[in-house]
Amino acid sequence: MARFGLPALLCTLAVLCAALLAAEPKSKSCSEVRRLYVSKGFNKNDAPTHEINGDHLKICPQGYTCCSQEMEEKYSLQSKDDFKSVVSEQCNHLQAIFASRYKKFDEFFKELLENAEKSLNDMFVKTYGRLYMQNSELFKDLFGELKRYYVAGSVNLEEMLSDFWARLLERMFRLVNSQYHFTDEYLECVSKYTEQLKPFGDVPRKLKLQVTRAFVAARTFAQGLAVARDVVSKVSVVSPTAQCAEALLKMLYCSHCQGLVSVKPCYNYCSNIMRGCLANQGDLEFEWNNFIDAMLMVAERLEGPFNIESVMDPIDVKISDAIMNMQENSVQVSQKVFQGCGPPKPLPAGRISRSISEGAFSARFRPYHPEERPTTAAGTSLDRLVTDVKEKLKQAKKFWSSLPSNVCSDGRMAAGNGNEDDCWDGKGKSRYLFAVTGNGLANQGNNPEVQVDTSKPDILILRQIMALRVMTSKMKNAYNGNDVDFFDISDESSGEGSGSGCEYQQCPLELEHNATEPSGKSANDQAGSAGGLVRARPSLLAAFCILLLVMQREWR
């Protein structure tokens, strides 16, 4: 046995050496991990030079590791920042698109109004001179109210336009009958014959319809761009939950702890984590797509019958046509008014001649040549603006359901779709085997990577969903030609799925009815109210008489 002692000892030593050599890789260098850690601005003293025991790790796999406890904590913060940054970049791009288009539309509409007012002023000064300037506040008020409606919406367009024509009729009736004196009561009687006599022809009816439709569509469309901008801006600020933060750390940096610094997360692995972390954002999808569809519908209106540019650009000519119609029919209109309201009182002889010399209404409008018209507003046209926005709206559809995939398509977040075998699956370098869950909060119950409380939707997201729902309803009203600031904007009254809304000849009746009865009372209700007032008059009269008798006794 003694002679076999030395060989046996040598064999034992050889086996031990082989075991030590086999164990050597577990103490491999962490230099590359350390270098990347320091490159992110962290303290190099946090990072070990060689692998250490990983019992201290809370999220990343334990065992031999290149991560200290400090590294795991800082990587956790870094992973959240990386996630926020990529999501923010995706959303900021879309938000910038809506912000820039809203600004361009806003500039265009405001400049269009300024140009229309300047064009009318220049045209009327050349035609009427001092006579127009003496009455220019009437037209300034018209454009002032149009601007106020676009900015604030606190104007009933139809009532405002009816008031404009009534005031214009009052001024013109005085001018064409300058030999008479008219009291305010008489002019009030004149206004009652406006609809019957149509002194301005059919221009007021057509212009009321065109202006109302165009302004409602333009203002609502601009509002829609602003709402989209604000929704994206608010939702782009993400705050990962504790469960999401753990999943992000595991996905983005736990591979570094194992020395796999060049191995990126598997695409499907990333997709599951993003769908869990962005579950609430996914719930925006339905209302967002409805909103985009409604915006596209109004865009079509702006390109066609509700084109505000085609309404405002020639508004001076349309008003001049109305005035010319009044001039041509002034004798017949005056005779019918005199029959209905009674003969007016003539002015004294001296005042007649002075009145005629001061305000004779004999000027005629000359044709206004196109080359004299101002250039297009904001250096562009409505058609070009709408075409551009339509393209961007189509691209923005399904944005929220695509957001997880778009985030994972960023090279900083995951490997490409074609690299499914040599990627990080959360535990090692391997193929990711789990299926990808659906979008939205309700689909996260079986998410294999992120624990999501499906019973607690995010309040901020719910508010944005409501904002989109309200704006979509306004869009549907605008598409149908209804003034959204004076109409019920609930889905029940929005005419959803009603196609083009109404035919050109049929809409005025509906619009005028709605605008003149904002209280929503039916004709029967109004008749009942009037009847109640008539029935109340006898009792009121009796009470009044009793009061007079009492007062008479007191005076005695």
Side-chain angles (χ1 to χ4, degrees):
M1 291 291 294
R3 60 180 177 180
F4 294 106
L6 183 60
L9 180 61
L10 291 175
C11 287
T12 301
L13 290 173
V15 170
L16 290 173
C17 289
L20 289 172
L21 288 173
E24 184 64 25
K26 291 188 178 179
S27 298
K28 64 184 178 182
S29 171
C30 295
S31 59
E32 186 63 16
V33 175
R34 194 181 196 205
R35 184 186 68 79
L36 290 175
Y37 180 77
V38 172
S39 70
K40 292 184 177 294
F42 299 133
N43 191 335
K44 66 179 181 180
N45 294 328
D46 295 340
T49 57
H50 290 79
E51 287 184 329
I52 59 176
N53 187 289
D55 292 344
H56 56 275
L57 298 180
K58 297 178 181 179
I59 307 300
C60 295
Q62 296 179 340
Y64 283 94
T65 180
C66 285
C67 289
S68 64
Q69 183 177 348
E70 292 80 9
M71 289 178 69
E72 187 181 45
E73 291 172 356
K74 291 179 181 178
Y75 272 146
S76 178
L77 296 174
Q78 185 64 45
S79 63
K80 288 192 286 186
D81 289 342
D82 292 348
F83 167 68
K84 291 178 181 179
S85 176
V86 175
V87 172
S88 180
E89 285 177 16
Q90 293 285 335
C91 294
N92 287 349
H93 176 69
L94 183 63
Q95 191 264 347
I97 289 175
F98 283 115
S100 63
R101 269 56 182 186
Y102 168 75
K103 183 179 179 182
K104 194 68 175 177
F105 263 87
D106 188 57
E107 290 175 353
F108 176 82
F109 291 143
K110 289 177 179 176
E111 191 170 326
L112 183 67
L113 284 172
E114 294 290 341
N115 287 348
E117 183 175 12
K118 183 179 183 300
S119 176
L120 183 142
N121 184 71
D122 293 345
M123 178 180 180
F124 279 41
V125 166
K126 290 178 183 178
T127 304
Y128 285 117
R130 186 165 61 88
L131 190 61
Y132 161 70
M133 289 186 282
Q134 290 173 346
N135 297 278
S136 61
E137 81 279 356
L138 177 65
F139 301 93
K140 288 181 181 177
D141 290 345
L142 170 65
F143 284 97
E145 289 295 282
L146 290 175
K147 293 173 187 175
R148 190 160 72 90
Y149 171 79
Y150 173 71
V151 173
S154 56
V155 176
N156 188 314
L157 287 175
E158 295 190 2
E159 289 182 4
M160 183 272 292
L161 289 170
S162 296
D163 182 63
F164 166 76
W165 291 112
R167 292 173 64 196
L168 183 60
L169 175 61
E170 176 187 326
R171 303 291 178 93
M172 289 198 64
F173 194 79
R174 279 175 167 167
L175 289 172
V176 298
N177 295 284
S178 55
Q179 69 274 30
Y180 296 108
H181 170 70
F182 298 103
T183 64
D184 291 340
E185 291 76 11
Y186 195 95
L187 291 173
E188 185 177 347
C189 178
V190 172
S191 66
K192 295 178 181 179
Y193 284 85
T194 304
E195 289 296 323
Q196 178 182 340
L197 299 177
K198 290 185 169 42
F200 298 110
D202 204 30
V203 173
R205 184 190 69 82
K206 289 183 178 179
L207 196 61
K208 181 191 292 185
L209 176 63
Q210 293 168 352
V211 167
T212 301
R213 285 178 163 185
F215 269 78
V216 168
R219 181 173 184 269
T220 308
F221 194 73
Q223 278 186 324
L225 292 173
V227 166
R229 173 201 64 195
D230 295 342
V231 166
V232 176
S233 177
K234 291 173 183 176
V235 175
S236 65
V237 182
V238 291
S239 298
T241 63
Q243 294 79 7
C244 170
E246 289 184 7
L248 290 170
L249 168 61
K250 191 176 178 182
M251 180 183 86
L252 292 172
Y253 290 108
C254 283
S255 57
H256 289 212
C257 296
Q258 294 191 14
L260 303 174
V261 294
S262 61
V263 180
K264 294 183 178 181
C266 299
Y267 182 84
N268 286 349
Y269 174 46
C270 173
S271 295
N272 270 335
I273 292 177
M274 290 304 116
R275 290 178 189 227
C277 291
L278 298 171
N280 285 287
Q281 284 78 357
D283 283 344
L284 284 165
E285 180 76 357
F286 179 75
E287 290 299 339
W288 176 263
N289 289 342
N290 286 343
F291 166 77
I292 295 294
D293 288 338
M295 286 283 287
L296 289 169
M297 289 167 60
V298 176
E300 291 178 3
R301 290 295 209 210
L302 288 173
E303 289 178 319
F306 296 4
N307 189 315
I308 192 172
E309 190 173 21
S310 65
V311 172
M312 293 307 298
D313 198 36
I315 195 170
D316 48 3
V317 177
K318 293 176 181 179
I319 293 176
S320 76
D321 287 343
I323 294 175
M324 289 173 68
N325 192 80
M326 172 66 182
Q327 285 180 261
E328 292 169 356
N329 299 289
S330 60
V331 175
Q332 298 92 318
V333 170
S334 297
Q335 287 177 349
K336 291 182 179 179
V337 168
F338 294 160
Q339 291 174 4
C341 299
K345 294 181 180 180
L347 288 172
R351 292 185 61 187
I352 291 177
S353 59
R354 186 167 65 253
S355 177
I356 293 175
S357 63
E358 289 177 355
F361 197 81
S362 58
R364 303 287 297 186
F365 283 97
R366 61 181 178 80
Y368 206 62
H369 300 293
E371 59 268 18
E372 297 181 50
R373 306 193 68 80
T375 55
T376 308
T380 185
S381 70
L382 184 63
D383 287 341
R384 285 199 292 272
L385 285 174
V386 172
T387 299
D388 172 62
V389 173
K390 281 174 64 178
E391 185 64 29
K392 297 297 186 290
L393 287 170
K394 291 174 183 177
Q395 294 173 4
K397 195 169 183 180
K398 297 184 179 180
F399 175 80
W400 302 108
S401 62
S402 302
L403 184 58
S405 300
N406 290 336
V407 170
C408 292
S409 295
D410 190 300
R412 294 168 293 178
M413 300 299 287
N417 258 325
N419 188 17
E420 297 179 2
D421 293 319
D422 297 324
C423 54
W424 173 253
D425 69 351
K427 297 177 181 177
K429 184 179 179 182
S430 179
R431 184 183 184 89
Y432 186 70
L433 301 177
F434 291 101
V436 177
T437 60
N439 281 297
L441 195 62
N443 289 318
Q444 302 312 308
N446 296 320
N447 191 314
E449 306 301 338
V450 187
Q451 290 183 353
V452 180
D453 187 349
T454 58
S455 66
K456 294 182 180 179
D458 187 273
I459 298 300
L460 174 65
I461 299 296
L462 291 179
R463 287 174 180 165
Q464 305 318 306
I465 289 173
M466 183 55 65
L468 290 171
R469 188 174 297 163
V470 169
M471 199 65 232
T472 299
S473 188
K474 288 185 176 183
M475 288 287 174
K476 292 175 181 177
N477 277 283
Y479 175 79
N480 290 324
N482 296 334
D483 192 337
V484 296
D485 288 315
F486 289 90
F487 286 76
D488 180 12
I489 59 172
S490 65
D491 286 335
E492 289 79 12
S493 63
S494 65
E496 183 176 358
S498 59
S500 62
C502 51
E503 296 298 326
Y504 182 83
Q505 297 298 331
Q506 295 174 344
C507 279
L509 296 175
E510 180 182 354
L511 288 173
E512 289 169 9
H513 172 79
N514 287 336
T516 54
E517 296 177 10
S519 64
K521 290 184 179 181
S522 66
N524 291 335
D525 293 336
Q526 292 177 349
S529 299
L533 183 61
V534 171
R535 288 191 295 270
R537 285 177 180 171
S539 59
L540 288 173
L541 184 59
F544 184 70
C545 291
I546 293 171
L547 180 62
L548 282 177
L549 289 172
V550 172
M551 292 176 65
Q552 187 176 15
R553 290 178 180 177
E554 290 292 330
W555 291 337
R556 288 177 182 177

